[in-house]
Amino acid sequence: MNETTPLLLRAARGESVERPPVWMMRQAGRYMKVYRDLRDNHPSFRERSENPDLSYEISMQPFKAFQPDGVILFSDILTPLPGMGINFDIVESKGPLINDPIRNLKQVKNLKPLQPEESMSFVGEVLGRLRESVGNNAAVLGFVGAPWTLAAYVVEGKSSKNYAVIKAMAFQEPELLHQLLNHFAESIANYLSYQIQSGAQVVQMFDSWAGQLSPQDYDEFAAPYQQKVVNLVKEKHPDTPMILYISGSAGVLERMGQTGVDIVSLDWTVDMAEGLARLPQEVGVQGNVDPGLLFGTPDAIRSRIVDVVKKAKGRKHILNLGHGILPGTPEENARVFFEAGKNVNELIKVSS
């Protein structure tokens, strides 16, 4: 590949790069004034994420402000649900609500297979426009929620602190849950392929809630379905790098490295060097600066970036936060993060 391929795509493929590329989870969103102003005019989250003009504009806001190496589609992991016959809403400060949680076999059997080009053509439109707009200056990222996390939302009906409803299902009616997970795995793989065909160059799977599983339950209810998604997507798009992110993943890191993904996104609770030591050499890493650090001083942000990048040296690495950027983060500190990431080689020289 030549130098005109976006840096993030080259790094994610494991090519040798001049510095780690940098982007941020949730880089489009509430910490930016321009986003909050737009939200005041369009208070419905579903409108912002499903109207292609709005989703495109929001996706581009951080690119225009900070020129990260990756531009991620502004969407939500629940966006594909209506295409399967599950309705949802996202309520400010309350989060997602599923009107009719899935609790029995009849509901699972009634789910429709996802046909993204029919139910979600706005996603394809936005990805195509993003590719056109950023050219080779950034890689366009797509993303999905993983089967376990989607199942947790639709079974619980809302965000949960202890996941009692889905765990009750897992341990009382495992077959029912497996049917639901399998439906999601096939639909999500189909959705990822659609994103890639539409313009996504790198894709990330968020299994945000899999960190709530014990390792043995991860092996039964999360990993096989992550793997199924990876295998189905890789059959069609073997060259598209795939990233897996789990919040609170320290207990299952080795397992994440065995799912077939190209890159494991570390949260900040693991030291970068220790995380790398626990993953196979060919698996890359993304992360893992604590988003809370962005409330600190510019010097604190820079020195932590230097620490993370030095520890990841010699391995495939994408610089990122260990979770999404927090609402209320000063925009200037987001700028410091991106600039420090881009100038990390000079910062390392100065620090050593």
Side-chain angles (χ1 to χ4, degrees):
M1 295 303 297
N2 59 27
E3 293 298 307
T4 59
T5 306
L7 174 69
L8 192 147
L9 183 53
R10 285 188 281 132
R13 285 178 175 158
E15 296 174 27
S16 117
V17 285
E18 51 279 18
R19 64 168 173 85
V22 55
W23 69 283
M24 256 184 215
M25 289 187 274
R26 294 206 190 126
Q27 63 188 17
R30 291 176 286 186
Y31 74 103
M32 292 189 81
K33 182 177 187 304
V34 34
Y35 175 82
R36 296 193 302 272
D37 292 346
L38 184 144
R39 183 184 63 185
D40 292 343
N41 294 326
H42 303 277
S44 154
F45 180 88
R46 284 196 57 181
E47 185 202 357
R48 294 195 297 277
S49 56
E50 296 176 23
N51 170 321
D53 292 333
L54 293 176
S55 167
Y56 166 80
E57 184 182 340
I58 294 166
S59 305
M60 288 295 288
Q61 285 173 345
F63 183 70
K64 288 175 176 163
F66 311 115
Q67 283 78 52
D69 295 307
V71 171
I72 189 163
L73 165 76
F74 180 77
S75 183
D76 192 81
I77 61 172
L78 303 186
T79 300
L81 293 181
M84 297 180 240
I86 306 168
N87 208 7
F88 79 97
D89 196 18
I90 293 187
V91 182
E92 270 301 326
S93 78
K94 277 202 177 140
L97 296 175
I98 310 286
N99 312 332
D100 193 11
I102 289 189
R103 305 275 168 88
N104 62 52
L105 189 59
K106 183 168 182 261
Q107 288 174 294
V108 174
K109 286 204 178 328
N110 282 339
L111 291 177
K112 298 186 292 215
L114 184 68
Q115 295 179 302
E117 54 290 329
E118 287 173 26
S119 58
M120 307 167 67
S121 61
F122 52 87
V123 165
E125 185 186 327
V126 174
L127 286 165
R129 285 169 67 181
L130 291 173
R131 268 295 284 281
E132 218 169 277
S133 300
V134 302
N136 293 320
N137 296 316
V140 172
L141 294 127
F143 75 94
V144 293
W148 165 263
T149 292
L150 291 179
Y153 270 113
V154 304
V155 171
E156 295 280 342
K158 58 185 192 303
S159 293
S160 171
K161 285 204 164 50
N162 55 19
Y163 307 91
V165 187
I166 190 165
K167 287 189 177 183
M169 184 186 282
F171 307 134
Q172 287 176 19
E173 303 177 273
E175 277 319 302
L176 171 61
L177 181 53
H178 280 300
Q179 284 197 35
L180 178 61
L181 290 165
N182 195 56
H183 180 92
F184 282 150
E186 288 172 355
S187 292
I188 283 311
N190 197 2
Y191 179 31
L192 270 180
S193 290
Y194 174 66
Q195 291 188 19
I196 294 164
Q197 285 151 12
S198 302
Q201 295 162 292
V202 178
V203 291
Q204 177 157 324
M205 182 159 51
F206 287 86
D207 212 347
S208 321
W209 291 3
Q212 301 292 329
L213 290 166
S214 72
Q216 76 201 72
D217 297 321
Y218 179 89
D219 288 344
E220 182 173 352
F221 297 107
Y225 299 100
Q226 294 165 358
Q227 266 163 336
K228 182 164 187 170
V229 172
V230 172
N231 293 341
L232 288 169
V233 173
K234 289 282 184 189
E235 270 169 32
K236 290 184 184 167
H237 306 281
D239 298 330
T240 301
M242 296 183 75
I243 305 171
L244 174 62
Y245 174 75
I246 297 177
S247 182
S249 58
V252 293
L253 258 195
E254 289 82 356
R255 287 166 164 82
M256 291 173 76
Q258 290 161 6
T259 53
V261 295
D262 304 279
I263 293 167
V264 166
S265 193
L266 299 178
D267 76 6
W268 72 93
T269 63
V270 182
D271 178 79
M272 176 57 82
E274 289 166 22
L276 281 166
R278 293 169 57 188
L279 290 165
Q281 194 67 32
E282 70 277 5
V283 174
V285 285
Q286 175 174 271
N288 67 340
V289 174
D290 179 352
L293 200 78
L294 269 60
F295 290 100
T297 64
D299 281 346
I301 297 168
R302 290 185 198 106
S303 73
R304 188 62 57 88
I305 286 174
V306 164
D307 179 66
V308 164
V309 171
K310 278 167 86 168
K311 284 175 175 167
K313 198 157 179 56
R315 292 285 286 267
K316 179 159 69 174
H317 178 219
I318 296 169
L319 178 62
N320 205 316
L321 300 173
H323 199 289
I325 183 169
L326 296 164
T329 300
E331 276 186 63
E332 274 317 296
N333 284 358
R335 184 180 307 284
V336 170
F337 179 86
F338 286 119
E339 288 179 353
K342 290 180 175 184
N343 297 313
V344 74
N345 295 337
E346 288 72 41
L347 292 174
I348 287 174
K349 277 182 202 144
V350 172
S351 74
S352 50

